Amino acid sequence: MDTKIQKILKIISFILFEGILFLAAGLLGMQNEKNRILQEEEAETVTDIAIVNLDQGVYEDNKIHYYSNELMNLELDNLVSENLEMARQGINNGSYAAYILIPAEFSQNAVSINSVPQKSVLEFAVNPNLREDVSRLTMANIKNFEINLNTNMAYMYVQAILEEFHNVQDSAGTIIDNDNKEMARLMQIAPDSLMSSPEP
């Protein structure tokens, strides 16, 4: 009889042990899922984009011009100026959705239109843990930044061309004024006063 009770107790203990293990695994799984959802809701909805400006400028008119600063617009809410190290850390720890890198030769390439035009290529990196909708928004914001920068550069080129054109017009006006003055002086001179009559 005692062996039968011992067997029953062993079976009950085993069932209880299995039940406790099953319950613990279920609770642990639920907690992990809660943590995952919480992480997605908090850290992965960041929309800030770090702008890393490595532009070294170009020497013109006795000073250094940084065309990147003149052409980019950082007034949008989600754009933040940052150094490269902090930007890289930011996309890994969830502080930034992405970063955009403006190359060191940006200003040099901007003025290359006067000789052999060179393209500036923006580089970027995106936080790999973003939610899908936030990731799409981030990519759209990166594209908008690039379009805005290209548009401002195009305006700069057009303005430079128009300024050159106006300078030529102003020079042409000065030349025409000088020609008109010379013509007026020439018209005042009587042709017969320029030469004496030939003597026989």
Side-chain angles (χ1 to χ4, degrees), residues 35-47 90-97 127 129-131 134:
N35 289 342
R36 187 187 65 77
I37 290 170
L38 189 63
Q39 254 185 336
E40 280 185 5
E41 287 175 352
E42 289 178 359
E44 313 309 340
T45 57
V46 65
T47 58
I91 65 168
N92 290 327
N93 67 24
S95 302
Y96 294 118
N127 182 331
N129 300 317
L130 292 176
R131 257 183 12 209
V134 179

Coordinates of all heavy atoms in Angstrom, one line a residue, residues 35-47 90-97 127 129-131 134:
N35 N 8.1 43.2 -23.1 CA 9.3 44.0 -23.2 C 9.6 44.3 -24.7 O 10.0 45.5 -25.0 CB 10.5 43.3 -22.6 CG 10.5 43.2 -21.1 OD1 9.8 44.0 -20.5 ND2 11.2 42.3 -20.5
R36 N 9.4 43.4 -25.6 CA 9.6 43.6 -27.0 C 8.6 44.7 -27.5 O 9.0 45.6 -28.2 CB 9.4 42.3 -27.8 CG 9.8 42.4 -29.3 CD 9.4 41.2 -30.0 NE 8.0 40.9 -30.1 CZ 7.2 41.6 -30.9 NH1 7.6 42.5 -31.7 NH2 5.9 41.3 -30.9
I37 N 7.4 44.6 -27.1 CA 6.4 45.5 -27.6 C 6.7 46.9 -27.0 O 6.6 47.9 -27.7 CB 5.0 45.1 -27.2 CG1 4.5 43.9 -28.0 CG2 3.9 46.2 -27.3 CD1 3.3 43.2 -27.5
L38 N 7.1 47.0 -25.7 CA 7.5 48.2 -25.1 C 8.6 48.9 -25.8 O 8.7 50.1 -26.1 CB 7.8 48.0 -23.6 CG 7.9 49.2 -22.8 CD1 6.7 50.0 -22.7 CD2 8.4 48.9 -21.4
Q39 N 9.7 48.0 -26.2 CA 10.8 48.5 -26.9 C 10.4 49.1 -28.2 O 10.9 50.2 -28.6 CB 11.8 47.4 -27.1 CG 13.0 47.5 -26.2 CD 14.0 46.4 -26.6 OE1 13.7 45.4 -27.1 NE2 15.3 46.6 -26.2
E40 N 9.6 48.4 -28.9 CA 9.1 48.9 -30.2 C 8.4 50.2 -30.1 O 8.5 51.1 -30.9 CB 8.2 47.8 -30.9 CG 8.9 46.7 -31.6 CD 8.0 45.8 -32.3 OE1 6.8 46.1 -32.4 OE2 8.4 44.8 -32.8
E41 N 7.5 50.3 -29.1 CA 6.7 51.5 -28.9 C 7.6 52.7 -28.5 O 7.3 53.8 -28.9 CB 5.6 51.3 -27.9 CG 4.5 50.4 -28.4 CD 3.5 50.1 -27.3 OE1 3.8 50.5 -26.1 OE2 2.5 49.5 -27.6
E42 N 8.6 52.5 -27.7 CA 9.4 53.6 -27.2 C 10.6 53.9 -28.1 O 10.7 55.0 -28.6 CB 9.9 53.3 -25.8 CG 8.8 53.3 -24.8 CD 9.3 52.9 -23.4 OE1 10.5 52.6 -23.2 OE2 8.5 52.9 -22.4
A43 N 11.5 53.0 -28.2 CA 12.8 53.3 -28.9 C 12.7 53.3 -30.4 O 13.5 54.0 -31.0 CB 13.8 52.3 -28.4
E44 N 11.8 52.6 -31.0 CA 11.9 52.5 -32.4 C 11.0 53.4 -33.2 O 10.7 53.3 -34.4 CB 11.5 51.0 -32.8 CG 12.3 50.0 -32.0 CD 13.8 50.2 -32.0 OE1 14.3 50.9 -32.8 OE2 14.4 49.6 -31.1
T45 N 10.4 54.4 -32.5 CA 9.6 55.4 -33.2 C 10.3 56.8 -33.3 O 9.7 57.8 -33.6 CB 8.2 55.6 -32.5 OG1 8.5 56.0 -31.1 CG2 7.4 54.3 -32.5
V46 N 11.6 56.8 -33.0 CA 12.3 58.1 -33.0 C 12.4 58.5 -34.5 O 12.5 57.7 -35.4 CB 13.8 57.9 -32.5 CG1 14.6 56.9 -33.3 CG2 14.5 59.2 -32.3
T47 N 12.3 59.8 -34.7 CA 12.3 60.4 -36.1 C 13.4 61.4 -36.4 O 13.5 61.8 -37.5 CB 10.9 61.0 -36.4 OG1 10.7 62.1 -35.5 CG2 9.8 60.0 -36.4
G90 N 24.0 57.1 -32.1 CA 22.6 57.4 -32.0 C 21.7 56.4 -32.8 O 20.7 56.1 -32.3
I91 N 22.2 55.9 -33.9 CA 21.4 55.0 -34.7 C 21.5 53.6 -34.1 O 20.6 52.7 -34.3 CB 21.7 54.9 -36.2 CG1 23.1 54.4 -36.5 CG2 21.4 56.2 -36.8 CD1 23.3 54.1 -38.0
N92 N 22.5 53.3 -33.3 CA 22.6 52.0 -32.6 C 21.9 52.0 -31.3 O 21.3 50.9 -30.9 CB 24.1 51.7 -32.3 CG 24.8 51.4 -33.6 OD1 24.3 50.8 -34.6 ND2 26.1 51.7 -33.7
N93 N 21.8 53.1 -30.6 CA 21.1 53.1 -29.3 C 19.7 53.7 -29.4 O 19.0 53.8 -28.4 CB 21.9 53.8 -28.2 CG 22.0 55.3 -28.5 OD1 21.2 55.9 -29.2 ND2 23.1 56.0 -27.9
G94 N 19.2 54.0 -30.6 CA 17.8 54.5 -30.7 C 17.6 55.9 -30.6 O 16.5 56.4 -30.5
S95 N 18.7 56.8 -30.4 CA 18.5 58.2 -30.3 C 18.2 58.9 -31.6 O 17.5 59.9 -31.6 CB 19.9 58.8 -29.8 OG 20.2 58.3 -28.6
Y96 N 18.7 58.3 -32.7 CA 18.4 58.8 -34.1 C 17.8 57.8 -35.0 O 18.2 56.6 -34.9 CB 19.7 59.4 -34.7 CG 20.2 60.6 -34.0 CD1 21.5 60.5 -33.4 CD2 19.5 61.7 -33.8 CE1 22.0 61.6 -32.7 CE2 20.0 62.8 -33.2 CZ 21.3 62.8 -32.6 OH 21.8 63.8 -31.9
A97 N 16.9 58.2 -35.9 CA 16.4 57.3 -36.9 C 17.4 57.1 -38.0 O 17.4 56.0 -38.6 CB 15.1 57.9 -37.5
N127 N 18.7 53.6 -38.8 CA 18.6 52.7 -37.7 C 17.9 51.4 -38.1 O 16.8 51.5 -38.6 CB 17.7 53.5 -36.6 CG 17.5 52.7 -35.3 OD1 17.6 51.4 -35.3 ND2 17.4 53.4 -34.2
N129 N 16.5 49.1 -36.5 CA 15.5 48.6 -35.6 C 14.2 49.5 -35.7 O 13.3 49.3 -34.9 CB 15.9 48.6 -34.2 CG 17.1 47.7 -34.0 OD1 17.2 46.6 -34.6 ND2 18.1 48.1 -33.3
L130 N 14.1 50.3 -36.7 CA 12.9 51.2 -36.8 C 11.7 50.3 -37.2 O 11.8 49.4 -37.9 CB 13.1 52.2 -37.9 CG 14.1 53.3 -37.6 CD1 14.3 54.3 -38.8 CD2 13.7 54.1 -36.3
R131 N 10.5 50.8 -36.7 CA 9.3 50.2 -37.2 C 9.2 50.5 -38.7 O 9.7 51.5 -39.2 CB 8.1 50.8 -36.4 CG 7.5 50.0 -35.4 CD 6.3 50.6 -34.7 NE 5.7 51.7 -35.3 CZ 5.1 52.7 -34.7 NH1 5.0 52.6 -33.4 NH2 4.6 53.7 -35.3
V134 N 7.9 54.0 -39.6 CA 8.9 55.0 -39.2 C 10.1 55.0 -40.2 O 10.6 56.0 -40.6 CB 9.4 54.9 -37.8 CG1 10.4 55.9 -37.4 CG2 8.2 55.0 -36.8

